[in-house]
Amino acid sequence: LGITYPVLVSQSPTKIIKLMDELGNNDVDGIPFSILISPNGSIIERYLGALTPTGLDKLIAKNLRPS
């Protein structure tokens, strides 16, 4: 598939729903649900719904800080 970033997969729906709640997807418990994490580990973006490669590029570009 060419995926070069971490992807979470689980066989336990209960564990996934709990983790999604902890990560901020607690209003609708929808999937797909993506988060963008900064190098220091803080969540800087949450996205509910299908995310295209272009959409992911836009989220990353929006959150890049000039060095």
Side-chain angles (χ1 to χ4, degrees):
L1 294 174
I3 296 172
T4 59
Y5 49 87
V7 175
L8 176 65
V9 178
S10 175
Q11 297 297 320
S12 171
T14 303
K15 287 182 182 178
I16 288 294
I17 290 171
K18 183 176 185 275
L19 180 58
M20 287 186 347
D21 286 347
E22 292 170 3
L23 294 172
N25 183 13
N26 46 9
D27 291 334
V28 294
D29 286 331
I31 55 173
F33 174 66
S34 301
I35 56 172
L36 188 61
I37 302 173
S38 72
N40 71 5
S42 63
I43 296 175
I44 55 176
E45 191 78 44
R46 291 174 178 87
Y47 189 86
L48 178 62
L51 191 56
T52 64
T54 301
L56 179 59
D57 288 344
K58 287 179 181 180
L59 282 179
I60 291 170
K62 178 177 121 177
N63 287 285
L64 285 177
R65 291 190 178 23
S67 46

